Amino acid sequence: MQRRKLPIGIQTFRKVRESGCYYVDKTAYVERLVSGEGGDCYFLSRPRRFGKSLFLSTLKEVFEGSRELFAGLAIYDRWDWSVRYPVVRLSFGRGDYKDPGYLQQNLHGQMDSVQRRTGVAVDSPSASERFAYILEELHHQTARRVVVLVDEYDKPILDALTEPEVARANRDFLRGLYATVKDSDEHVRFVFLTGVSKFSKVSLFSGLNNLNDITLDPRYSSVCGYTDADLDTVFTPELDGLDRDRVREWYNGYSWLGDERVYNPFDILRLFDQRMFGAYWFETGTPKFLVDTLTERGVPSITLSGATASAELLSAFDVDHIGTEALLFQTGYLTITAREELGGLALYRLDYPNREVRQSLNGVLLRHLLQNSTHQTANSVRLQQLLHDGDIDGLRDLFHAFYASIPYEWYTNNDIARFEGYYASVFYSYFAALGLDITVEDSTNLGRIDMTVRCAGRVYIFEFTVVEFTPSDSALAQLRDRDYADKYRSTRWPVHLIGVVFSSKERNIVAFETATIQPSHSMRET
C-alpha cells in the first residue's frame, strides 16, 4: 500500500480528499443518520481534537452533492447526488468568548457570511431573528429544506466558565438561538450539533425537544476516532517500525459503549509523523481549570481510576453545576470501561482511557502540588531507579523527603489535605506519572488491596492508613493477615508488602513497614 499525506490539523473533508491524505471512511454513519431512522436532529459530544469538525464537513459535502469527493467510499453508490440541499454551518471554534457581547458580535459576523454566500438579504438586530429568516428564505429560494450544522456549540460557555455571569449570558443567548431551529422545523431538513460538553437539555436545549443525543449510542461509538481495524488497514504503511502493542497501550481505550475502543486521531497522526511516543493530545490543552476543580473539591487522584457514575451524573454539566464525573468524562480524561445495571439504574465504571492520559494528568497534578518541576523530575527519576532495584529503604526516604518538601502554605490554602485519600494520592500520582502498571483497589478473594504496582519483575503491594498522631496498629499486619500476596505468588516475582501510615498532624509518613516474599515463599521483614 502506498503511503499518503498525514491530515494533521486538517478539518475540511474536501481538503483531505483533494490533497490525497489518508481518510478513515465515516460515510456509512452519514447514511445511517440521514436515513431518518433516528429522526433528523442530532447531538454528539466528544473530547477535543477527536474529528468532530471533519465529520461535520463530511456531512456538508454530502448534502451539497459533492459526488466527486466520495469515490470509493461507502456512501458513493448509496446516495442520490442529483439532490442538493442548502447548508448553513455555524462554528464557534474561533474567538474568545469571555468578553460580554462578543458572542453576539461573532454570530452576526457568521450570519453576514451566510448572507453573502447565499444572496439572502435580511437586516435585524436580533441574531435569532436573522437566523430564522435565513432558514425560511433559503427554503423558498431552493425549494429544498435547509441543513443546519453547528460545530463547537458549547465553546462560548466553556470559554467563560471562570466568568460565571458571562457564561450564563452566553448560555441563555445560545438557548434562544437553538430554539430557533425547532421553531423553524418546516424549513429544516437535518440538524447536527457537536461539542465537547453535554449541557443538560433543561439549561440549553429546552426549546429543542426533538434532539436525538447519540453520544452514548453504541451504533455511533466510532463515528469519531480510529479503531484498531482502521490502523491495521488504512494506516498499514505507517505502522512499520512501531510496536503495535505499545501503540495500543499509549493511545487506545476511549469508549462510548461500542464494541470497539477507539484512538484519538490527533495522537495517532502525530505519532506517525514524529515516530516516537508522546502526550500529543494532552499537551494541546491546558487542564488548569480541571486541576483547580479537582483540588477545590478534594478529589484524590487515586479515586479517579475505577470511579462509578450514573447516566445522570455523566450529563450533570451546567454553568452553575459541573459534576466532577461529567467534567472528566466529557473532556476525555476518563472513559467508560463497563456498564452495569443496579435495580434498573444504569451505572458506568470509569477509568483513564490510556497511558497518555493517566501518566500526563497525574504529572500535572504533581506539579500543581509541588510547584517545582525540577524537583518533581528528580524525584520521578529516583523513584524509577529505586523500583527497578527493589530498594525499599530508598522508597521510604524518598517519600518522606517529598512530603517534607511540600510548603506549609499549601496546606493552609488548600482543603484537600483534610481528605484521607490525599496522602495515598500523592503516592499514586508519582507512580502513575511514570506510566507504571498500577491497580487501585486490587481485588483478591480476601479483600481489596489499596494499590498494587508491577515493575521490573517485582510486585509492590501498598496498604495506606491515616492517623492523627502516632499509629497504634500495624498497616503491614493487615497485608500479612489477609494474605494479599497470595494473588501474585504464581508470578514467581518477589512480592514487597508495604504498609504506609500517614499522620494528618505531622503531614508526613510516620510508619513505613515492609516485608518481602521471595519466589521461594520465604518472608523477610524490614
Side-chain angles (χ1 to χ4, degrees), residues 218-522:
R219 295 172 298 178
Y220 298 99
S221 62
S222 303
V223 68
C224 292
Y226 299 156
T227 65
D228 263 322
D230 293 331
L231 264 64
D232 292 332
T233 54
V234 178
F235 295 102
T236 301
E238 304 298 331
L239 292 172
D240 187 38
L242 293 173
D243 184 329
R244 192 69 181 79
D245 289 334
R246 198 173 179 212
V247 174
R248 247 181 236 105
E249 175 198 3
W250 264 88
Y251 303 119
N252 195 20
Y254 291 95
S255 172
W256 289 273
L257 300 183
D259 294 331
E260 292 183 283
R261 298 188 177 278
V262 300
Y263 299 82
N264 182 305
F266 185 77
D267 270 326
I268 293 303
L269 296 176
R270 288 295 306 276
L271 171 66
F272 290 157
D273 180 53
Q274 299 292 321
R275 314 303 296 179
M276 64 178 67
F277 293 88
Y280 300 116
W281 172 78
F282 190 91
E283 291 172 354
T284 61
T286 304
K288 185 179 185 304
F289 175 78
L290 175 69
V291 174
D292 289 344
T293 300
L294 294 178
T295 302
E296 290 169 4
R297 297 181 181 180
V299 180
S301 61
I302 197 169
T303 65
L304 299 181
S305 179
T308 302
S310 66
E312 289 73 21
L313 286 175
L314 290 186
S315 60
F317 201 100
D318 195 10
V319 175
D320 301 309
H321 176 72
I322 303 174
T324 303
E325 297 87 353
L327 175 64
L328 290 163
F329 170 67
Q330 294 178 22
T331 52
Y333 297 101
L334 291 181
T335 197
I336 296 173
T337 58
R339 184 182 186 275
E340 304 167 0
E341 291 280 347
L342 182 63
L345 177 66
L347 296 177
Y348 300 99
R349 184 77 63 179
L350 305 176
D351 208 338
Y352 299 107
N354 49 44
R355 174 175 174 174
E356 177 198 17
V357 177
R358 182 179 65 250
Q359 184 171 329
S360 300
L361 181 57
N362 279 279
V364 168
L365 291 171
L366 277 177
R367 285 195 293 276
H368 179 76
L369 171 65
L370 192 58
Q371 298 183 355
N372 186 328
S373 57
T374 301
H375 195 176
Q376 178 196 338
T377 300
N379 284 342
S380 296
V381 171
R382 177 67 174 152
L383 175 60
Q384 183 84 61
Q385 187 62 51
L386 292 171
L387 291 171
H388 187 273
D389 296 341
D391 187 344
I392 306 300
D393 291 338
L395 286 176
R396 178 195 60 213
D397 295 341
L398 175 67
F399 278 98
H400 193 280
F402 171 73
Y403 284 103
S405 70
I406 299 175
Y408 171 80
E409 292 78 14
W410 193 93
Y411 291 97
T412 58
N413 295 330
N414 292 275
D415 288 336
I416 192 173
R418 65 186 172 89
F419 295 93
E420 184 171 323
Y422 155 74
Y423 297 96
S425 289
V426 173
F427 251 72
Y428 172 78
S429 289
Y430 254 113
F431 291 113
L434 289 174
L436 299 174
D437 185 2
I438 306 170
T439 303
V440 175
E441 293 291 310
D442 192 4
S443 295
T444 75
N445 63 322
L446 298 171
R448 291 182 181 272
I449 303 169
D450 283 349
M451 188 172 81
T452 302
V453 179
R454 291 161 291 275
C455 177
R458 299 174 185 273
V459 178
Y460 298 85
I461 296 177
F462 292 91
E463 182 78 13
F464 303 114
T465 304
V466 178
V467 299
E468 190 171 2
F469 294 104
T470 305
S472 57
D473 298 321
S474 169
L476 177 62
Q478 298 181 49
L479 290 170
R480 229 173 4 201
D481 293 346
R482 297 173 188 173
D483 294 324
Y484 280 163
D486 286 354
K487 180 176 180 177
Y488 295 96
R489 290 181 190 272
S490 62
T491 65
R492 311 301 297 171
W493 291 356
V495 179
H496 302 287
L497 304 176
I498 304 175
V500 185
V501 182
F502 306 96
S503 167
S504 58
K505 289 295 184 182
E506 297 185 26
R507 298 175 180 138
N508 211 319
I509 296 169
V510 292
F512 196 90
E513 307 168 300
T514 70
T516 299
I517 302 175
Q518 298 294 345
S520 61
H521 306 307
S522 62

Side-chain angles (χ1 to χ4, degrees), residues 154-175:
D154 51 348
K155 189 173 182 290
I157 307 173
L158 298 179
D159 277 2
L161 284 178
T162 56
E163 305 290 339
E165 289 301 320
V166 177
R168 292 188 194 99
N170 288 351
R171 177 198 61 192
D172 295 343
F173 177 82
L174 290 174
R175 182 194 294 126

Side-chain angles (χ1 to χ4, degrees), residues 36-291:
E37 52 183 68
D40 55 16
C41 187
Y42 293 92
F43 169 78
L44 176 72
S45 167
R46 286 294 186 268
R48 57 189 169 82
R49 293 186 177 273
F50 238 94
K52 302 184 296 296
S53 298
L54 179 59
F55 187 72
L56 252 66
S57 178
T58 307
L59 283 166
K60 172 182 176 293
E61 296 295 348
V62 167
F63 278 109
E64 290 183 341
S66 304
R67 180 176 184 271
E68 71 284 358
L69 299 178
F70 293 88
L73 300 183
I75 203 172
Y76 185 72
D77 294 322
R78 303 173 65 87
W79 185 261
D80 184 355
W81 300 104
S82 65
V83 179
R84 302 190 173 193
Y85 295 88
V87 177
V88 173
R89 182 178 180 182
L90 303 177
S91 175
F92 297 103
R94 289 181 293 181
D96 186 347
Y97 297 90
K98 291 180 183 178
D99 294 334
Y102 177 76
L103 172 58
Q104 293 87 332
Q105 177 186 340
N106 177 286
L107 187 56
H108 276 295
Q110 294 196 60
M111 296 295 176
D112 290 342
S113 178
V114 172
Q115 289 183 211
R116 286 193 300 269
R117 190 179 72 252
T118 61
V120 173
V122 57
D123 184 20
S124 170
S126 166
S128 294
E129 288 182 9
R130 288 185 71 186
F131 189 30
Y133 189 80
I134 287 172
L135 296 178
E136 181 180 352
E137 281 301 297
L138 282 177
H139 184 195
H140 290 159
Q141 283 184 12
T142 64
R144 301 285 182 191
R145 291 187 294 158
V146 185
V147 172
V148 178
L149 307 175
V150 183
D151 198 10
E152 299 199 51
Y153 85 101
D154 51 348
K155 189 173 182 290
I157 307 173
L158 298 179
D159 277 2
L161 284 178
T162 56
E163 305 290 339
E165 289 301 320
V166 177
R168 292 188 194 99
N170 288 351
R171 177 198 61 192
D172 295 343
F173 177 82
L174 290 174
R175 182 194 294 126
L177 178 70
Y178 300 140
T180 301
V181 177
K182 173 63 176 176
D183 293 340
S184 302
D185 183 64
E186 63 180 302
H187 306 298
V188 175
R189 163 67 177 87
F190 181 86
V191 180
F192 200 92
L193 298 92
T194 72
V196 169
S197 59
K198 177 185 173 184
F199 282 84
S200 66
K201 286 188 177 181
V202 174
S203 70
L204 193 57
F205 297 126
S206 57
L208 202 57
N209 54 17
N210 60 333
L211 191 64
N212 184 357
D213 180 4
I214 61 172
T215 299
L216 292 182
D217 188 330
R219 295 172 298 178
Y220 298 99
S221 62
S222 303
V223 68
C224 292
Y226 299 156
T227 65
D228 263 322
D230 293 331
L231 264 64
D232 292 332
T233 54
V234 178
F235 295 102
T236 301
E238 304 298 331
L239 292 172
D240 187 38
L242 293 173
D243 184 329
R244 192 69 181 79
D245 289 334
R246 198 173 179 212
V247 174
R248 247 181 236 105
E249 175 198 3
W250 264 88
Y251 303 119
N252 195 20
Y254 291 95
S255 172
W256 289 273
L257 300 183
D259 294 331
E260 292 183 283
R261 298 188 177 278
V262 300
Y263 299 82
N264 182 305
F266 185 77
D267 270 326
I268 293 303
L269 296 176
R270 288 295 306 276
L271 171 66
F272 290 157
D273 180 53
Q274 299 292 321
R275 314 303 296 179
M276 64 178 67
F277 293 88
Y280 300 116
W281 172 78
F282 190 91
E283 291 172 354
T284 61
T286 304
K288 185 179 185 304
F289 175 78
L290 175 69
V291 174

